[in-house]
């Protein structure tokens, strides 16, 4: 009986002292909520970086490498190499939104707006809160003259990350064209 009480006491102590594990999804939800409520641009940027880090986790070292190589190629504007890496990533991990977002960035860089918009829609189907993809949708629709659709996409971006000066500027630029002038 004494052994059983000792084991129970030990387990109770361990359970109290071990913090409960937070799932990746819960962590991401918390980060996105904090980002949407960020009071300063600095805080928002820090939280955005953490969100993007979470979104960039494929769960596969090989897919992580493809993502890294694709992003590195984009950074130096080697669109051909970036496309190869992102195509391989979307072929092997079609349910990974960051692969589609990267591929959209390649297409946008090549001024292939239709394929870019398609890739962004795939990213958003997988991750509806992907503010980078929403921002891309807004930019493409604005470029195509679909100002109401652009405005709506930009508004959704600001709901998720309220301190984006370029999106704020786009909304200001489109406000009267989309909403009209109030008297």
């Amino acid at each position: 009986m004494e052994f059983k009480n000792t084991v129970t006491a030990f387990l109770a102590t361990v359970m109290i002292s071990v913090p409960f594990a937070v799932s990746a999804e819960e962590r991401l939800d918390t980060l996105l909520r904090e980002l949407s409520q960020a009071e300063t641009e600095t805080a928002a940027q820090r939280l955005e970086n953490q969100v993007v880090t979470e979104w960039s986790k494929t769960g596969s070292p090989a897919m992580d490498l493809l993502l890294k190589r694709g992003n590195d190629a984009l950074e130096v504007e080697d669109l051909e190499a970036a496309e190869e890496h992102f195509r391989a990533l979307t072929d092997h991990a079609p349910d990974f939104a960051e692969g589609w977002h990267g591929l959209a960035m390649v297409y946008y860089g090549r001024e292939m707006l239709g394929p870019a918009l398609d890739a962004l829609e795939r990213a958003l189907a997988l991750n509806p809160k992907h503010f980078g993809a929403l921002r891309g949708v807004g930019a493409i629709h604005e470029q195509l003259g679909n100002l109401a659709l652009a405005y709506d996409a930009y508004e959704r971006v600001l709901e998720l990350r309220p301190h984006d000066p370029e999106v704020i500027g786009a909304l200001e630029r489109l406000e009267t064209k989309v909403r009209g002038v109030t008297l």
Side-chain angles (χ1 to χ4, degrees), residues 8-60:
T8 303
F10 173 75
L11 288 175
T13 303
V14 170
M15 292 301 288
I16 291 170
S17 60
V18 174
F20 293 104
V22 176
S23 75
E25 189 174 319
E26 290 171 324
R27 174 168 165 65
L28 189 54
D29 287 344
T30 299
L31 288 170
L32 285 166
R33 185 176 48 261
E34 289 174 4
L35 176 60
S36 72
Q37 298 168 357
E39 294 185 16
T40 66
E41 192 171 339
T42 303
Q45 187 61 54
R46 179 184 53 78
L47 290 162
E48 180 181 331
N49 291 341
Q50 292 177 9
V51 168
V52 171
T53 297
E54 291 297 315
W55 283 345
S56 298
K57 295 177 180 176
T58 66
S60 162

Side-chain angles (χ1 to χ4, degrees), residues 17-148:
S17 60
V18 174
F20 293 104
V22 176
S23 75
E25 189 174 319
E26 290 171 324
R27 174 168 165 65
L28 189 54
D29 287 344
T30 299
L31 288 170
L32 285 166
R33 185 176 48 261
E34 289 174 4
L35 176 60
S36 72
Q37 298 168 357
E39 294 185 16
T40 66
E41 192 171 339
T42 303
Q45 187 61 54
R46 179 184 53 78
L47 290 162
E48 180 181 331
N49 291 341
Q50 292 177 9
V51 168
V52 171
T53 297
E54 291 297 315
W55 283 345
S56 298
K57 295 177 180 176
T58 66
S60 162
M63 298 306 105
D64 288 346
L65 183 60
L66 286 172
L67 178 63
K68 181 182 181 340
R69 287 184 176 172
N71 285 330
D72 289 349
L74 268 179
E75 195 171 304
V76 296
E77 298 181 23
D78 183 352
L79 298 179
E80 187 176 321
E83 183 175 359
E84 286 180 30
H85 295 301
F86 286 122
R87 278 190 172 282
L89 181 55
T90 57
D91 286 347
H92 295 290
D95 294 334
F96 182 60
E98 282 303 298
W100 292 106
H101 182 246
L103 190 57
M105 292 172 54
V106 169
Y107 290 146
Y108 187 80
R110 289 189 167 164
E111 299 181 14
M112 299 169 62
L113 302 184
L117 194 54
D118 181 57
L120 290 170
E121 288 173 358
R122 292 182 95 157
L124 287 167
L126 296 166
N127 179 0
K129 294 182 179 182
H130 197 296
F131 44 78
L134 284 167
R135 190 173 183 215
V137 167
I140 290 172
H141 279 302
E142 184 175 1
Q143 199 169 341
L144 294 173
N146 303 327
L147 303 184

